[in-house]
Amino acid sequence: MSETYRPAAIAKIQDQKAQMRRSLLKARQAMPPQVWQQKCDRICTHLTQWPTFQSARTILAYCSFRNEPHLGSLLAQQRSWGLPRCEDKDLIWHRWFPSCSWPLRPGTYGITEPDPTSPLIDPHKVDLILVPAVACDVRGYRLGYGGGFYDRMLSQASWHGKPTIGIVFEFARLPQIPKNSWDRPLSGICTESGLFLAS
Ligand SMILES: Nc1nc2c(c(=O)[nH]1)N(C=O)[C@@H](CNc1ccc(C(=O)N[C@@H](CCC(=O)O)C(=O)O)cc1)CN2
Ligand SMILES: Nc1ncnc2c1ncn2[C@@H]1O[C@H](COP(=O)(O)OP(=O)(O)OP(=O)(O)O)[C@@H](O)[C@H]1O
């Protein structure tokens, strides 16, 4: 059995991830609101200037929680967005745009989510996926909250080949995050310092 598949090795990596998660979330929570807002605006500006963003038909995004970079100025753009809803272990993607009448409401974990009755997204129409994260490393590996939602989703064939951009603050763009066998690298990372596409 290869090292990364041994139960003891998996447990060790999960432990390292849990420690990193705790300290990075603490640092994110401690950001003064004004600094946080400035960095969020910069992240949105970098994305808006990216041709792939400009030409995307539908973009999967998220509603910020626990001080994650807020995509408010992007979500205000009158275009087709997809927002996730947690259902058991899966993410269900619903269509949303600013002038639509489909309601958003607090869902699982207290994250703002679409109502289950709002229309679903057709994965074929999605051209870009903005992925929330606690941290990303320069290779594109991501640390989330430990639920494995995005790992499971991105391992499905319908999402293969779509650009995936991890959205984090610069302090959470790390040289290396411990990686499990199921982790797949994202195509790039956007922070307040810029957009970094994997080569
Ligand atoms: N804004 C946003 N929306 C998102 C995500 C995200 O990362 N950010 N998700 C990305 O996946 C999904 C929600 N994932 C989550 C996974 C776990 C926990 C959570 O609170 N976990 C517990 C610990 C659980 C455990 O260790 O077993 C905790 O942190 O206290 C929250 C959200 C879907 N929506
Ligand atoms: N492709 C997959 N199929 C089934 N289970 C998976 C898959 N990918 C990850 N998991 C499970 O998800 C759990 C969490 O993984 P990990 O600690 O890497 O989460 P994370 O990336 O930090 O969380 P999240 O994606 O929710 O933000 C692991 O216990 C793993 O078994």
Side-chain angles (χ1 to χ4, degrees), residues 62-63 65-66 68 84 86 91 109 111 132 142 145 147 149-150:
Y62 62 88
C63 295
F65 123 109
R66 291 187 182 154
E68 285 169 341
C86 293
L91 293 179
Y109 309 111
I111 304 174
R142 164 179 177 276
Y145 296 112
F149 285 100
Y150 279 90

Side-chain angles (χ1 to χ4, degrees), residues 39-47 69 167-168 190-192:
K39 291 180 196 288
C40 296
D41 291 344
R42 283 201 201 131
I43 289 174
C44 292
T45 302
H46 293 306
L47 288 168
I167 312 292
V168 291
C190 189
T191 77
E192 69 275 20

Side-chain angles (χ1 to χ4, degrees), residues 28 58 78:
R28 201 168 71 186
T58 295
Q78 234 1 294

